[in-house]
Amino acid sequence: HVQLVESGGGSVQAGGSLKLTCSASSFIGSNCEMHWYRQPPGKERELVANFKKDGSTEYIESVKGRFAISQDKGKKTLYLQMNSLRTEDTAVYTCATRKCMPWTLNAWGQGTQVTVS
């Protein structure tokens, strides 16, 4: 089974930047979609950005032009570059492998806190 570990969260002032990293214990390649989720305090978890298996990317409207998802397949690492951060970006950010073939590659990280003040 795959293990995912996020890092790079922290506290930043509005307008600042952070880069989140998600490290996988196993090679994922194109077997899964790679997702970044976030859950703001008191709210539902939402999908922020994702890589589809064909390499295309999707973002929720509120982060378009500010966030960028990327991956280094050779190093089994997923990134989320977050620029022009806003207070409403405050959340626990979690990476996940989804819609995997085989399904045993589906996994969730433990999450990393991002606080924007």
Side-chain angles (χ1 to χ4, degrees):
H1 291 275
V2 177
Q3 291 184 321
L4 303 174
V5 179
E6 301 96 336
S7 60
S11 297
V12 64
Q13 291 188 336
S17 298
L18 283 174
K19 186 173 184 177
L20 304 183
T21 299
C22 174
S23 299
S25 60
S26 304
F27 181 74
I28 301 298
S30 299
N31 297 317
C32 305
E33 292 190 1
M34 302 295 295
H35 293 192
W36 280 105
Y37 293 84
R38 69 182 180 187
Q39 185 166 20
K43 296 185 179 180
E44 297 290 319
R45 183 171 61 199
E46 62 181 352
L47 178 60
V48 177
N50 66 290
F51 260 112
K52 293 188 173 296
K53 293 179 183 180
D54 63 3
S56 62
T57 58
E58 293 181 331
Y59 299 89
I60 56 171
E61 193 64 34
S62 62
V63 308
K64 285 182 180 178
R66 300 189 298 122
F67 289 14
I69 189 171
S70 62
Q71 59 181 327
D72 184 333
K73 292 183 179 181
K75 294 184 178 180
K76 304 174 291 186
T77 307
L78 180 72
Y79 303 99
L80 185 67
Q81 177 67 49
M82 305 185 295
N83 300 323
S84 301
L85 283 162
R86 305 169 181 169
T87 54
E88 55 263 38
D89 294 319
T90 294
V92 175
Y93 286 72
T94 305
C95 65
T97 51
R98 309 298 292 159
K99 301 180 182 179
C100 296
M101 290 295 292
W103 66 268
T104 51
L105 294 178
N106 288 319
W108 291 85
Q110 83 288 352
T112 186
Q113 177 70 46
V114 171
T115 303
V116 185
S117 60

